[in-house]
Amino acid sequence: MKPRAAGQQTTVGVIDAEVLAFTAGHDVELDRALIAADCLGTAAHATMLSRMPKAGRVLTPAEAKKIIAELVALLLRAQAGAFEITLADQDVHLAVERHLTAKLGELGKKVHTGRSRNDQVAVDLRLFAKEELLGVLEEVAALAAVLNDFARRHAAVPMVGRTHQQPAMPSSVGLWAGAHAEALLDDAALVLAAYQLNDQCPLGAAAGYGVPLPIDRRLVSDLLGFARPIGNVLHAINSRGKLESVILGALTQVMLTLSRLAQDLVLFTMPEFGYFTLPAAFSTGSSIMPQKKNPDVLELVRSRAARVTACQTAVLDIVRSAPSGYNRDLQDAKEPFLEGLAMTRATLRILAPLMAGLEVNHDALLKGFTPNVFATDRALELVAGGMPFRDAYHHVKAHLDDLQQMSPAAALAKKTHLGAPAGLDFAATAARIAAIASLVTDERAEFHAALSKLLGVRWPLA
Ligand code: ARG
């Protein structure tokens, strides 16, 4: 065994160098995503400390103002890439405290009064997730709108409906695309539920057991634009990880929808089908085969879906083995959480222009309509003439070779009931999409107004 390296001085004492590297893990890089949230949480905490009952007040209003001004300066430096989180900091929380102390001396040393890194990281993740989930909802709505428009534009274009991937019944491009749009709306409901669970403030829980100081957790929650503070302080700490797994669960559902869409498109853009053609920018070539136009984007959508599921599984398993209270295991939920969010959003964003530019090849779609595709329609015609269905079924089955080619367009026009190819309500779907978009606008405006008021400058910073 090599002799152990000397310990490293940190804000919270000397730590063995290898232990420090092992325990900090990827936080030094990952926590860059949390700098803004950490400054916001610190600004709210400092404001609250300055509004405590006069007797035991930790900061004066003027001191809180100074701290907030320094946090704004830090945020601007971070935006310019000039704020560093070092290994000696371990994470963003101690990096911000180090910076404030370097700039403000005693004041910087006071900001951590009445909080712990445990509630601090919990509030950071929730502030970060709040902004991200609004982004997810916006992007889900945008892609659903593209799909719904595509469905409306091609509502009457015949496309063979399939079960077991085998030709089944007459259907339409509108039905196919509209199904994916509606799936995304269901997924949006899950994302919104996750958003609402997330919209609760853990700050002031400290290490998980509260503090013997008259802190005002409701005020902090309001200052940060949360719907409410989390009631029980131990639950505020325990909900870390569990919350991320709920969010990743909703994202997994979004990705399942996108993966199915991608898989359909890989199949239907194969030359043997040729139903659709990918926009030129979205197919990639081969290094050896000059003729190739590969659907790499769609293939990666499928694998990214697998990876987001894996992110959720990782977080679920970390939570499963953790007892009550803060445990360092929870730190390891951060990486899959950030990764799952980033992958889902990138996937939503790449698919919207792909779908918007997808070409529809009418002739290829019509080629799929062999007489067999009309077998069920024929049986139902016999039913309309008075024959019991099972008799009609057997009659058609016995005479499959005699089936006449029917007009796909005419067959579609007869399916007028709710949700069928000629009964799709694109306006209703558009209204549901618009409702999500306007919820995002309202929530974001309220959130940013609270943060602007807290910092005394417009949020997000220019
Ligand atoms: N980086 C840590 C995390 O993500 C911050 C909290 C550390 N708390 C502690 N008690 N060691 O969990």
Side-chain angles (χ1 to χ4, degrees), residues 27 91 93 117-118 121 240 326 328 331 334:
D27 263 17
D91 50 35
H93 323 298
R117 274 187 295 164
N118 301 351
V121 62
R240 182 168 176 211
Y326 176 82
R328 194 69 179 264
Q331 177 176 291
K334 195 184 291 170

PDB file of all heavy atoms in Angstrom, residues 27 91 93 117-118 121 240 326 328 331 334, ligand 1:
ATOM      1  N   ASP A  27     -19.493  15.747  -7.688  1.00  0.00           N
ATOM      2  CA  ASP A  27     -20.182  16.977  -7.272  1.00  0.00           C
ATOM      3  C   ASP A  27     -19.508  18.253  -7.778  1.00  0.00           C
ATOM      4  O   ASP A  27     -20.184  19.222  -8.109  1.00  0.00           O
ATOM      5  CB  ASP A  27     -20.296  17.049  -5.741  1.00  0.00           C
ATOM      6  CG  ASP A  27     -21.661  16.560  -5.264  1.00  0.00           C
ATOM      7  OD1 ASP A  27     -22.357  15.885  -6.057  1.00  0.00           O
ATOM      8  OD2 ASP A  27     -22.028  16.853  -4.109  1.00  0.00           O
ATOM      9  N   ASP A  91     -18.466  20.854  -2.684  1.00  0.00           N
ATOM     10  CA  ASP A  91     -19.697  21.026  -3.455  1.00  0.00           C
ATOM     11  C   ASP A  91     -20.031  22.511  -3.587  1.00  0.00           C
ATOM     12  O   ASP A  91     -19.310  23.370  -3.065  1.00  0.00           O
ATOM     13  CB  ASP A  91     -20.866  20.259  -2.815  1.00  0.00           C
ATOM     14  CG  ASP A  91     -21.008  20.545  -1.324  1.00  0.00           C
ATOM     15  OD1 ASP A  91     -20.741  21.693  -0.914  1.00  0.00           O
ATOM     16  OD2 ASP A  91     -21.375  19.628  -0.555  1.00  0.00           O
ATOM     17  N   HIS A  93     -22.322  24.261  -2.257  1.00  0.00           N
ATOM     18  CA  HIS A  93     -22.763  24.952  -1.036  1.00  0.00           C
ATOM     19  C   HIS A  93     -21.585  25.604  -0.312  1.00  0.00           C
ATOM     20  O   HIS A  93     -21.640  26.770   0.066  1.00  0.00           O
ATOM     21  CB  HIS A  93     -23.477  23.965  -0.109  1.00  0.00           C
ATOM     22  CG  HIS A  93     -24.301  22.976  -0.850  1.00  0.00           C
ATOM     23  ND1 HIS A  93     -25.374  23.356  -1.634  1.00  0.00           N
ATOM     24  CD2 HIS A  93     -24.212  21.622  -0.990  1.00  0.00           C
ATOM     25  CE1 HIS A  93     -25.888  22.276  -2.202  1.00  0.00           C
ATOM     26  NE2 HIS A  93     -25.201  21.222  -1.823  1.00  0.00           N
ATOM     27  N   ARG A 117     -26.312  21.669   4.937  1.00  0.00           N
ATOM     28  CA  ARG A 117     -26.220  21.369   3.505  1.00  0.00           C
ATOM     29  C   ARG A 117     -27.326  20.402   3.087  1.00  0.00           C
ATOM     30  O   ARG A 117     -27.652  20.298   1.917  1.00  0.00           O
ATOM     31  CB  ARG A 117     -24.850  20.775   3.182  1.00  0.00           C
ATOM     32  CG  ARG A 117     -23.801  21.832   2.917  1.00  0.00           C
ATOM     33  CD  ARG A 117     -22.521  21.196   2.451  1.00  0.00           C
ATOM     34  NE  ARG A 117     -21.928  20.363   3.478  1.00  0.00           N
ATOM     35  CZ  ARG A 117     -20.975  19.458   3.251  1.00  0.00           C
ATOM     36  NH1 ARG A 117     -20.538  19.254   2.027  1.00  0.00           N
ATOM     37  NH2 ARG A 117     -20.473  18.739   4.239  1.00  0.00           N
ATOM     38  N   ASN A 118     -27.898  19.707   4.086  1.00  0.00           N
ATOM     39  CA  ASN A 118     -28.938  18.730   3.740  1.00  0.00           C
ATOM     40  C   ASN A 118     -30.202  19.399   3.212  1.00  0.00           C
ATOM     41  O   ASN A 118     -30.767  18.989   2.201  1.00  0.00           O
ATOM     42  CB  ASN A 118     -29.276  17.863   4.961  1.00  0.00           C
ATOM     43  CG  ASN A 118     -28.060  17.110   5.479  1.00  0.00           C
ATOM     44  OD1 ASN A 118     -27.017  17.104   4.826  1.00  0.00           O
ATOM     45  ND2 ASN A 118     -28.180  16.491   6.639  1.00  0.00           N
ATOM     46  N   VAL A 121     -29.132  21.472  -0.182  1.00  0.00           N
ATOM     47  CA  VAL A 121     -29.090  20.744  -1.454  1.00  0.00           C
ATOM     48  C   VAL A 121     -30.516  20.361  -1.872  1.00  0.00           C
ATOM     49  O   VAL A 121     -30.860  20.370  -3.050  1.00  0.00           O
ATOM     50  CB  VAL A 121     -28.146  19.514  -1.397  1.00  0.00           C
ATOM     51  CG1 VAL A 121     -28.581  18.490  -0.391  1.00  0.00           C
ATOM     52  CG2 VAL A 121     -28.037  18.868  -2.777  1.00  0.00           C
ATOM     53  N   ARG A 240     -35.951  13.708  -0.438  1.00  0.00           N
ATOM     54  CA  ARG A 240     -34.902  13.773  -1.464  1.00  0.00           C
ATOM     55  C   ARG A 240     -34.685  12.368  -2.028  1.00  0.00           C
ATOM     56  O   ARG A 240     -34.716  11.379  -1.302  1.00  0.00           O
ATOM     57  CB  ARG A 240     -33.598  14.300  -0.871  1.00  0.00           C
ATOM     58  CG  ARG A 240     -32.521  14.427  -1.931  1.00  0.00           C
ATOM     59  CD  ARG A 240     -31.323  15.193  -1.446  1.00  0.00           C
ATOM     60  NE  ARG A 240     -30.288  15.193  -2.475  1.00  0.00           N
ATOM     61  CZ  ARG A 240     -28.984  15.230  -2.236  1.00  0.00           C
ATOM     62  NH1 ARG A 240     -28.561  15.291  -0.992  1.00  0.00           N
ATOM     63  NH2 ARG A 240     -28.127  15.223  -3.217  1.00  0.00           N
ATOM     64  N   TYR A 326     -30.788  12.225   6.604  1.00  0.00           N
ATOM     65  CA  TYR A 326     -29.843  12.399   5.500  1.00  0.00           C
ATOM     66  C   TYR A 326     -28.824  11.276   5.511  1.00  0.00           C
ATOM     67  O   TYR A 326     -28.283  10.902   6.553  1.00  0.00           O
ATOM     68  CB  TYR A 326     -29.104  13.741   5.598  1.00  0.00           C
ATOM     69  CG  TYR A 326     -28.065  13.868   4.505  1.00  0.00           C
ATOM     70  CD1 TYR A 326     -28.436  14.280   3.236  1.00  0.00           C
ATOM     71  CD2 TYR A 326     -26.747  13.477   4.718  1.00  0.00           C
ATOM     72  CE1 TYR A 326     -27.511  14.347   2.200  1.00  0.00           C
ATOM     73  CE2 TYR A 326     -25.813  13.540   3.688  1.00  0.00           C
ATOM     74  CZ  TYR A 326     -26.201  13.973   2.431  1.00  0.00           C
ATOM     75  OH  TYR A 326     -25.288  14.013   1.421  1.00  0.00           O
ATOM     76  N   ARG A 328     -25.479   9.979   2.900  1.00  0.00           N
ATOM     77  CA  ARG A 328     -24.682  10.483   1.773  1.00  0.00           C
ATOM     78  C   ARG A 328     -25.040   9.785   0.464  1.00  0.00           C
ATOM     79  O   ARG A 328     -24.784  10.306  -0.626  1.00  0.00           O
ATOM     80  CB  ARG A 328     -23.189  10.337   2.084  1.00  0.00           C
ATOM     81  CG  ARG A 328     -22.256  11.115   1.156  1.00  0.00           C
ATOM     82  CD  ARG A 328     -22.360  12.619   1.356  1.00  0.00           C
ATOM     83  NE  ARG A 328     -21.456  13.372   0.505  1.00  0.00           N
ATOM     84  CZ  ARG A 328     -20.241  13.819   0.876  1.00  0.00           C
ATOM     85  NH1 ARG A 328     -19.804  13.601   2.096  1.00  0.00           N
ATOM     86  NH2 ARG A 328     -19.472  14.485   0.032  1.00  0.00           N
ATOM     87  N   GLN A 331     -26.518  11.740  -2.375  1.00  0.00           N
ATOM     88  CA  GLN A 331     -25.714  12.536  -3.300  1.00  0.00           C
ATOM     89  C   GLN A 331     -25.616  11.840  -4.663  1.00  0.00           C
ATOM     90  O   GLN A 331     -25.582  12.492  -5.697  1.00  0.00           O
ATOM     91  CB  GLN A 331     -24.315  12.740  -2.707  1.00  0.00           C
ATOM     92  CG  GLN A 331     -23.365  13.484  -3.615  1.00  0.00           C
ATOM     93  CD  GLN A 331     -22.024  13.731  -2.932  1.00  0.00           C
ATOM     94  OE1 GLN A 331     -21.944  14.506  -1.995  1.00  0.00           O
ATOM     95  NE2 GLN A 331     -20.983  13.055  -3.380  1.00  0.00           N
ATOM     96  N   LYS A 334     -27.990  12.430  -7.626  1.00  0.00           N
ATOM     97  CA  LYS A 334     -27.922  13.700  -8.383  1.00  0.00           C
ATOM     98  C   LYS A 334     -27.566  13.466  -9.847  1.00  0.00           C
ATOM     99  O   LYS A 334     -28.196  14.029 -10.750  1.00  0.00           O
ATOM    100  CB  LYS A 334     -26.876  14.599  -7.724  1.00  0.00           C
ATOM    101  CG  LYS A 334     -26.945  16.044  -8.143  1.00  0.00           C
ATOM    102  CD  LYS A 334     -25.800  16.827  -7.519  1.00  0.00           C
ATOM    103  CE  LYS A 334     -25.944  16.974  -6.018  1.00  0.00           C
ATOM    104  NZ  LYS A 334     -24.713  17.517  -5.388  1.00  0.00           N
TER     105      LYS A 334
HETATM  106  N1  ARG B   1     -23.053  17.245  -1.721  1.00  0.00           N
HETATM  107  C1  ARG B   1     -23.922  16.779  -0.704  1.00  0.00           C
HETATM  108  C2  ARG B   1     -25.128  16.032  -1.333  1.00  0.00           C
HETATM  109  O1  ARG B   1     -25.372  16.195  -2.481  1.00  0.00           O
HETATM  110  C3  ARG B   1     -24.423  17.906   0.093  1.00  0.00           C
HETATM  111  C4  ARG B   1     -24.944  17.507   1.427  1.00  0.00           C
HETATM  112  C5  ARG B   1     -23.828  17.045   2.298  1.00  0.00           C
HETATM  113  N2  ARG B   1     -24.334  16.788   3.614  1.00  0.00           N
HETATM  114  C6  ARG B   1     -23.641  16.075   4.495  1.00  0.00           C
HETATM  115  N3  ARG B   1     -24.213  15.878   5.641  1.00  0.00           N
HETATM  116  N4  ARG B   1     -22.495  15.545   4.197  1.00  0.00           N
HETATM  117  O2  ARG B   1     -25.769  15.280  -0.657  1.00  0.00           O
END
